[in-house]
C-alpha cells in the first residue's frame, strides 16, 4: 500500500443487486475526489460487461487475480451472505482494508476468523450496517444513550420485504439465508446501537408456507424474542413475503420503552405517501437512497445507504493520511461489534431448529 496516496483505491467483489449500491457510492466518491473505483469482481461475465457499460469499471471473474493485478487499498465484499468469509479472509491476508455487507458471517467461527485476520493484518474490517447512518436512528440512539427514556425495558423492531426480494432477486441463495439473516441482523444492530447491550438468549419461531409453495425452500418469516444483558427484552419480527402490492419494498420500524419513557420511529413511512393509477399506494424512504441530477447534469447519488458505504473510503483515507486504527476505534462497526449481531442470529436459527430457548455464545 502506497504511503503517499491520500485517496483510497477500491475494488468490489459482487456486482449484483446491492453491489450496484457500492458501485454508485464509489462512483460518487470518485466524482467528488474522495476515492477511486478501480475494479469489480463477479463470476457472472454478462453482469461484468453490463457494469462496465454502466460504470466504466474494469472487470475480473477471479478475485485473487484482481488483488494480484490491481493496486488496491480497500475491497468491499457484496456476495451472498454465506459467501462473505472466504473473500474477507483472502483480502485481509492480502493486506487490504475490507468493508463487508451485513451479516459479517453466518457463523460465529467465521466472524472469529475474520476478526483474527484483521488484527493480524492491522487492517480495517468494517461491516455495512447502514441503519446507524439514518438520521432518525441516530437521533433515537442519541436520546436513548442520553437517558431520555431511562433504562430500556423492552422494545419491538420489525423489518419486512416484499416477496419480490427472495422470489425474484435471489431465489437461488434465499434458502442459504433467511429473513433474519437478511433483515433481522439490521434490526438487532439497530437495537444494539441504541442500548449497547449484548444478546443473552433467543427464542425464535418461523414458518415456511408461501415461498415453499413457489418451490423456494426458505423461511417466510422468523420471529424472535431476544433477552439482552441489560435486562431488556426485544421482539424482532422479520419476513420477506409481503404482497407485491404492498406500498414499499421494505416495511420497517422500532419502538423502545424504558423506565422513563418510550420512543418510536416508523422507519418506512416518513410522511410522504402517494396513490397513483399506474403504481397504486406508495411510500418512500427517501433518506436511504436518492438519485438526482448534479449541476453538470451527471447523476448524483445520496442517502444513508450511500453514506454508510462511503464511510469505509473515508476511514481508509484517514489511515492513508497518517491516522491510526486506534484513532478510528469505536467510530465504525468493526468485526467485534458485528459479531454480536451474528451471535444473536445464530442463536435464533438454532432456536428455530430445536424449538428451544437458546443461549447466545460468548
Ligand atoms: N445493506 C443492505 O441493506 C443490503 C441490501 C441488500 C443486500 N445486502 C447484502 O449484500 C450481499 C449481496 O446481496 P445482493 O442482493 O447484491 O445479492 P445478488 O445475488 O444480487 O448479488 C451477489 C453477486 O455476487 C456474485 N458472486 C457470487 N459468488 C461469487 C464469487 N465466487 N466470486 C465473485 N462474485 C460472486 C454473484 O454473481 C452476484 O452478482 C448480501 O450479503 C446481502 O445480505 C445488503
Amino acid at each position: 500500500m502506497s504511503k503517499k496516496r491520500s485517496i483510497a483505491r477500491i475494488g468490489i467483489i459482487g456486482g449484483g443487486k446491492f453491489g450496484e449500491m457500492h458501485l454508485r457510492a464509489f462512483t460518487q466518491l470518485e466524482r467528488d475526489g474522495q476515492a477511486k473505483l478501480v475494479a469489480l469482481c463477479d463470476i457472472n461475465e454478462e453482469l461484468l460487461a453490463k457494469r462496465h457499460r454502466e460504470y466504466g469499471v474494469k472487470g475480473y471473474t477471479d478475485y485473487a487475480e484482481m488483488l494480484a493485478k490491481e493496486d488496491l487499498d480497500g475491497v468491499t465484499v457484496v456476495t451472498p451472505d454465506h459467501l462473505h468469509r472466504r473473500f474477507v479472509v483472502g483480502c485481509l491476508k492480502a493486506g487490504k482494508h475490507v468493508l463487508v455487507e451485513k451479516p459479517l458471517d453466518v457463523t460465529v467461527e467465521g466472524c472469529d476468523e475474520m476478526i483474527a485476520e484483521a488484527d493480524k493484518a492491522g487492517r480495517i474490517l468494517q461491516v455495512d450496517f447502514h441503519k446507524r447512518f439514518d438520521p432518525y436512528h441516530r437521533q433515537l440512539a442519541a436520546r436513548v444513550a442520553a437517558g431520555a427514556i431511562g433504562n430500556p425495558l423492552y422494545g419491538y423492531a420489525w423489518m419486512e420485504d416484499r416477496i419480490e426480494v427472495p422470489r425474484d432477486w435471489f431465489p437461488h441463495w434465499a434458502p442459504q439465508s433467511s429473513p433474519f439473516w437478511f433483515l433481522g441482523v439490521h434490526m438487532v444492530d439497530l437495537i444494539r446501537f441504541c442500548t449497547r447491550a449484548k444478546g443473552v438468549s433467543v427464542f425464535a419461531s418461523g414458518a415456511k408456507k408461501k415461498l415453499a409453495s413457489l418451490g423456494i425452500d426458505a423461511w417466510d418469516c422468523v420471529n424472535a424474542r431476544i433477552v439482552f444483558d441489560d435486562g431488556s427484552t426485544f421482539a424482532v419480527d422479520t419476513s420477506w413475503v409481503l404482497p407485491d402490492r404492498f406500498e414499499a419494498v421494505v416495511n420497517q420500524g422500532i419502538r423502545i420503552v424504558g423506565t422513563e419513557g418510550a420512543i418510536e420511529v416508523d422507519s418506512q413511512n416518513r410522511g410522504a405517501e402517494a396513490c397513483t393509477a399506474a403504481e397504486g399506494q406508495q411510500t418512500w424512504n427517501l433518506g436511504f437512497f436518492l438519485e438526482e441530477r448534479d449541476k453538470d447534469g451527471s447523476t448524483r447519488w445520496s442517502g444513508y445507504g450511500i453514506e454508510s458505504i462511503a464511510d469505509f473510503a473515508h476511514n481508509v483515507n484517514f489511515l492513508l493520511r497518517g491516522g491510526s486504527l486506534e484513532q478510528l476505534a469505536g467510530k465504525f462497526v468493526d468485526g467485534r461489534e458485528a459479531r454480536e449481531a451474528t451471535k444473536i442470529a445464530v442463536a435464533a436459527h438454532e432456536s428455530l431448529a430445536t424449538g428451544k430457548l437458546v443461549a447466545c455464545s460468548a
Side-chain angles (χ1 to χ4, degrees):
M1 192 172 61
S2 163
K3 288 266 184 324
K4 288 185 203 118
R5 212 153 51 216
S6 60
I7 303 273
R9 292 173 58 83
I10 302 288
I12 300 171
I13 305 174
K17 198 89 183 167
F18 212 68
E20 183 160 30
M21 198 65 138
H22 287 235
L23 286 163
R24 289 166 176 154
F26 294 115
T27 299
Q28 190 61 55
L29 283 167
E30 186 165 332
R31 285 180 189 154
D32 295 340
Q34 297 178 58
K36 170 91 185 128
L37 172 62
V38 177
L40 168 70
C41 168
D42 200 293
I43 40 169
N44 181 339
E45 292 194 40
E46 245 174 69
L47 181 67
L48 278 182
K50 181 169 182 279
R51 295 305 189 212
H52 177 71
R53 287 194 300 276
E54 292 165 335
Y55 296 92
V57 67
K58 189 169 173 185
Y60 288 89
T61 51
D62 175 7
Y63 90 109
E65 189 187 347
M66 177 176 84
L67 294 185
K69 291 199 173 151
E70 300 294 345
D71 182 13
L72 300 173
D73 300 299
V75 177
T76 72
V77 177
V78 205
T79 53
D81 296 352
H82 61 291
L83 300 178
H84 292 170
R85 181 174 179 172
R86 167 180 159 226
F87 298 113
V88 170
V89 168
C91 290
L92 288 168
K93 276 188 193 296
K96 309 302 172 192
H97 298 291
V98 174
L99 171 72
V100 56
E101 267 310 322
K102 44 50 59 176
L104 174 57
D105 190 49
V106 291
T107 66
V108 177
E109 305 75 55
C111 295
D112 288 338
E113 186 186 6
M114 296 179 198
I115 293 165
E117 285 300 339
D119 287 351
K120 208 178 341 161
R123 294 291 182 265
I124 292 171
L125 170 57
Q126 182 165 348
V127 184
D128 183 23
F129 274 119
H130 61 228
K131 304 268 170 253
R132 297 191 186 212
F133 285 78
D134 180 336
Y136 286 76
H137 296 152
R138 292 176 86 87
Q139 177 73 353
L140 178 82
R143 292 183 74 91
V144 173
I149 62 161
N151 293 316
L153 294 171
Y154 69 94
Y156 175 45
W158 61 99
M159 193 162 177
E160 301 157 331
D161 275 350
R162 267 197 317 233
I163 193 165
E164 70 195 61
V165 172
R167 185 197 59 204
D168 306 339
W169 294 10
F170 48 76
H172 51 297
W173 64 268
Q176 273 90 52
S177 183
S178 78
F180 206 86
W181 280 123
F182 194 69
L183 305 169
V185 290
H186 265 312
M187 286 317 186
V188 165
D189 184 67
L190 176 56
I191 293 164
R192 296 201 57 259
F193 182 44
C194 295
T195 67
R196 306 283 160 187
K198 294 185 175 184
V200 173
S201 62
V202 185
F203 178 78
S205 54
K208 287 188 176 184
K209 293 179 184 173
K210 180 68 186 174
L211 290 169
S213 77
L214 302 175
I216 302 169
D217 179 22
W219 293 99
D220 292 336
C221 58
V222 178
N223 312 86
R225 211 165 173 82
I226 306 160
V227 176
F228 287 89
D229 65 357
D230 62 354
S232 65
T233 300
F234 279 78
V236 176
D237 279 342
T238 64
S239 82
W240 51 13
V241 292
L242 290 189
D244 288 305
R245 291 168 68 90
F246 186 73
E247 61 192 17
V249 178
V250 189
N251 186 40
Q252 53 183 333
I254 183 167
R255 177 167 192 261
I256 308 178
V257 179
T259 53
E260 309 301 328
I263 194 162
E264 185 166 347
V265 177
D266 182 338
S267 311
Q268 179 48 45
N269 186 341
R270 315 231 177 169
E273 295 185 29
C275 183
T276 64
E279 294 180 282
Q281 183 73 22
Q282 300 155 66
T283 55
W284 308 280
N285 173 8
L286 296 176
F288 175 60
F289 176 66
L290 204 52
E291 183 172 292
E292 296 170 300
R293 291 279 150 211
D294 216 334
K295 294 184 199 307
D296 64 0
S298 62
T299 307
R300 169 161 284 275
W301 294 289
S302 63
Y304 65 82
I306 295 285
E307 280 167 38
S308 177
I309 298 165
D311 185 63
F312 172 64
H314 298 318
N315 286 335
V316 175
N317 289 348
F318 179 78
L319 297 184
L320 290 173
R321 293 165 193 175
S324 69
L325 271 177
E326 289 69 33
Q327 287 172 295
L328 285 177
K331 294 182 179 137
F332 64 90
V333 181
D334 65 9
R336 285 182 176 78
E337 186 70 359
R339 180 184 184 274
E340 293 300 322
T342 288
K343 266 170 49 180
I344 290 170
V346 165
H349 288 86
E350 198 180 321
S351 180
L352 269 179
T354 61
K356 294 188 174 141
L357 179 77
V358 174
C360 297
S361 67

